[in-house]
């Protein structure tokens, strides 16, 4: 019994194949900032890391997040509702973003 | 030492050896355990398909927009006096607006919207300094 126990305890555990860890989605290179100037196609921003310039690509998509009202929302629009963690209600809805079909990329 | 004692010692050694090998053989392979992606967001409802604009913006934090992350999303099926109902893969959800939430709309604009002082989010083309898309989130 003692030798059997010693054998059990000193035995090497077989390796177990685990599913591969999820690969993070390709990181999107996002810059947040405040417009300092736009000269030609060069957009200069002030960011937390300091001034940054980017070139507006000829095919760059320019969009704006603008206030709207419920009366402007139509059936068929896409809606994203955002929330932040909240101590009492777990999540607190902070905003709603409407994406009309004309500027909706995904889902189609 | 008598021959009998030696024989018993030899038998004991053989039994001990067999037991030791048997014990090692009994060591199991262990339970398969799930792998966790520790970098995953803390909360991500399974049925939420977040919509994005042509520029790739959802309007919320996951794409550099408003504070928070999109937790409810879907196509608007009904608009009430103070509520919006959306159809999503997991069923319909009705959001009642209390006035505390900011209601925004993503619109296509031209370069004239990039005024000095405007807050913007830029998605760069990978590995370049070219802006693939720009979202104006606030104007001065």
């Amino acid at each position: 019994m003692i030798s059997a126990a010693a054998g059990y305890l000193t035995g090497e555990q077989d390796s177990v194949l685990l599913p591969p860890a999820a690969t993070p989605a390709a990181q999107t290179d996002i810059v947040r900032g405040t417009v300092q100037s736009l000269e030609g196609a060069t957009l200069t921003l002030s960011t937390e890391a300091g001034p940054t310039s980017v070139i507006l690509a000829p095919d760059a998509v320019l969009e704006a997040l603008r206030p709207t009202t419920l009366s402007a929302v139509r059936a068929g629009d896409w809606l994203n509702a955002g929330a932040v963690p909240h101590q009492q209600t777990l999540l607190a809805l902070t905003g709603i973003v409407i994406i009309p079909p004309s500027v909706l990329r995904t889902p189609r | 030492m008598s021959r009998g004692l030696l024989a018993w010692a030899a038998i004991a050694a053989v039994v001990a050896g067999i037991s030791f090998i048997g014990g090692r053989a009994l060591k199991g392979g262990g339970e398969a355990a799930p792998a966790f992606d520790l970098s995953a967001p803390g909360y991500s409802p399974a049925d939420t398909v977040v919509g994005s604009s042509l520029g790739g913006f959802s309007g919320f934090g996951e794409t550099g927009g408003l504070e928070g992350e999109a937790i409810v999303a879907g196509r608007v099926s009904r608009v009430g006096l103070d509520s919006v109902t959306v159809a999503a893969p997991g069923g319909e959800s009705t959001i009642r607006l209390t006035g505390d939430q900011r209601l925004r709309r993503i619109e296509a604009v031209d370069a004239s919207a990039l005024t000095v002082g405007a807050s913007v989010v830029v998605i760069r083309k990978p590995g370049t300094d070219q802006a693939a898309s720009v979202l104006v989130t606030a104007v001065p």
Side-chain angles (χ1 to χ4, degrees):
Chain A
M1 285 292 287
I2 293 171
S3 350
Y8 182 85
L9 291 175
T10 59
E12 293 175 3
Q13 186 155 333
D14 295 344
S15 59
V16 177
L17 288 177
L18 297 178
T23 305
Q27 295 292 309
T28 305
D29 187 3
I30 293 178
V31 180
R32 301 183 66 142
T34 304
V35 175
Q36 293 301 296
S37 66
L38 175 62
E39 295 174 2
T42 304
L43 179 65
T44 302
L45 308 176
S46 66
T47 71
E48 287 186 351
T52 300
S53 290
V54 293
I55 309 296
L56 292 179
D59 58 347
V61 177
L62 306 182
E63 297 174 333
L65 204 49
R66 290 182 168 157
T68 189
T69 60
L70 192 56
S71 61
V73 180
R74 299 279 179 269
D77 288 347
W78 190 267
L79 178 150
N80 290 332
V84 293
H86 189 275
Q87 286 183 333
Q88 292 169 328
T89 62
L90 191 62
L91 290 166
L93 210 60
T94 55
I96 292 171
V97 170
I98 302 296
I99 307 176
S102 59
V103 294
L104 182 66
R105 178 165 71 181
T106 57
R108 275 286 182 186
Chain B
M1 188 176 286
S2 70
R3 289 178 61 188
L5 194 57
L6 280 175
W8 279 111
I11 292 169
V14 170
V15 170
I18 292 171
S19 302
F20 184 82
I21 293 168
R24 285 178 68 93
L26 287 175
K27 185 84 169 188
E31 296 293 325
F36 294 96
D37 177 8
L38 297 178
S39 63
Y43 180 80
S44 180
D47 293 331
T48 301
V49 178
V50 177
S52 65
S53 66
L54 294 175
F57 301 103
S58 70
F60 290 100
E62 56 271 339
T63 53
L66 300 174
E67 181 187 24
E69 300 211 349
I71 61 160
V72 177
R75 203 172 293 277
V76 174
S77 56
R78 282 195 307 278
V79 182
L81 290 176
D82 62 351
S83 66
V84 183
T85 301
V86 295
E92 285 198 331
S93 298
T94 297
I95 300 168
R96 199 163 299 282
L97 303 178
T98 63
D100 294 333
Q101 302 92 6
R102 292 180 291 180
L103 194 57
R104 298 278 192 273
R105 182 181 192 87
I106 295 181
E107 298 175 356
V109 296
D110 58 31
S112 65
L114 302 174
T115 55
V116 173
S119 298
V120 298
V121 182
V122 176
I123 296 179
R124 283 193 287 214
K125 292 187 175 181
T128 73
D129 62 352
Q130 284 204 328
S133 52
V134 181
L135 178 70
V136 179
T137 56
V139 290

